[in-house]
Amino acid sequence: MAETTAVAAEMANLGVLEQEQQVTPWDVNAGADGKIDYEKLIKKFGCQSITPELIERVERLTGMPAHPLLRRGVFFAHRDLKELLDAYEKDPNCFYLYTGRGPSSESLHMGHLIPFTFTKYLQDAFKVPLVIQLTDDEKSIWKGISIEESRRLAFENAKDIIAIGFNPKSTFIFNDFDYVGGNFYKNMVAIGKCVTFNQARGIFGFTNEDCIAKIAFPPVQAAPSFPDCFPHMFGEGKKLRCLIPCAIDQDPYFRMTRDVAPRIGGHKPFLIESRFFPSLKGDSGKMSASDPNSAIYVTDTPKQIKSKVNKHAFSGGRDTVEEHREKGGDLNVDVSWKYLNFFLDDDEELKKIGEEYGSGRMLTGEIKKKLIDVVTAMVTRHQEIRAKITQADLDIFFSTAKRNHADLFGSVNPCNAQPAAVPADAAAASEVVPKG
């Protein structure tokens, strides 16, 4: 139980020693300087940094260029990725992907799309199957949403997820209220029996005032790490490994899972973890659904996108044109620049924009206009594709009918022959993991 005990202790240390920075699966609060110290998170959580050598190896094994979100360090940390690549080199059918979303709003914002777009890249590059968990139970518990409403939101959010372009032959989407049972529930109980209440309290910060539904939830998010939760996909055994793309705030769930895995006959899940997508109002952690002006939603109109960026995107520009020409824009705080790092695929164009804006030759209004153009094109394309998604499409992705093994591994994504959910210059940067 070393990892479980360690994560409990280190989460407690975060609360005592780093009160100015709090990162849990449910709350992200930046430090006194308004920033998240990711190096400190790596040290506290015990994960590893992604190196250029690992990125080069991913490119070599897949025959595809690294995704912009990987080569620019948005996905920056991992757990045992080298070991997974070792296994993949020997057997390309050795793992599946798992990510997710907690459906608490009618539509997704751009930050919610990040892990999904990166996951699509991983699915296409490695040609492996994917399971996507919609934790409608979690949001009903934590947000006070009725079971019926939370379940409805899960299916609405699923349409946005499908619009990203996942391979329907090798992707299974499920919501907890409708799917949990059978092997899934057996794994939940097995996981729960391995973790004491004191350990859960240390890992997740539960208090005596929390309802027992919260305390019972962690095994629900942990269980999809084991392939026998999906017998229609992978059969009854635990042979397959699992790679989980997620934001780093979800790390405590899977540290717990990794400690439990050998004790229930499974592999420890592998993780690849991202930084947080900044609010329009500044780089202080996650975007907030409670403040509509802190985020750009996939339902926003071009007029709304333009207004939000112009009025609310935090600027690194100077107080006057003269001062800006002299000192240049501050790339460390400018949100338009940060967003372009997520959504503009062309490295040379991005480099030029950084040089022009950082030197003062490009003004704040100009970099904001570039961002407006890029994001508007992405959102418009996403809306067009989502509008065409039918109940029949949902039925395909949610189907528990037995899948053809040949379709799960090595299958070329038929969606890639169609217009993507985002333009080519933002390929897959429109992106649950678990869960943002």
Side-chain angles (χ1 to χ4, degrees), residues 15 22 70 96 137 167-168 186 211 247 263-264 318 343 386 389 418 422 425:
Q22 295 180 341
L70 182 58
Y96 68 100
D137 51 346
N167 188 341
K186 292 175 186 176
C211 67
R263 299 159 64 192
I264 66 171
R318 307 300 175 174
F343 300 131
R386 189 191 190 281
I389 293 172
Q418 304 169 6
V422 295
D425 70 351

Side-chain angles (χ1 to χ4, degrees), residues 305-313 364-365 368-369 372:
I305 294 170
K306 182 178 180 179
S307 175
K308 285 183 177 183
V309 172
N310 283 332
K311 292 181 180 179
H312 301 290
T364 296
K368 285 191 172 186
K369 183 180 184 303
I372 290 167

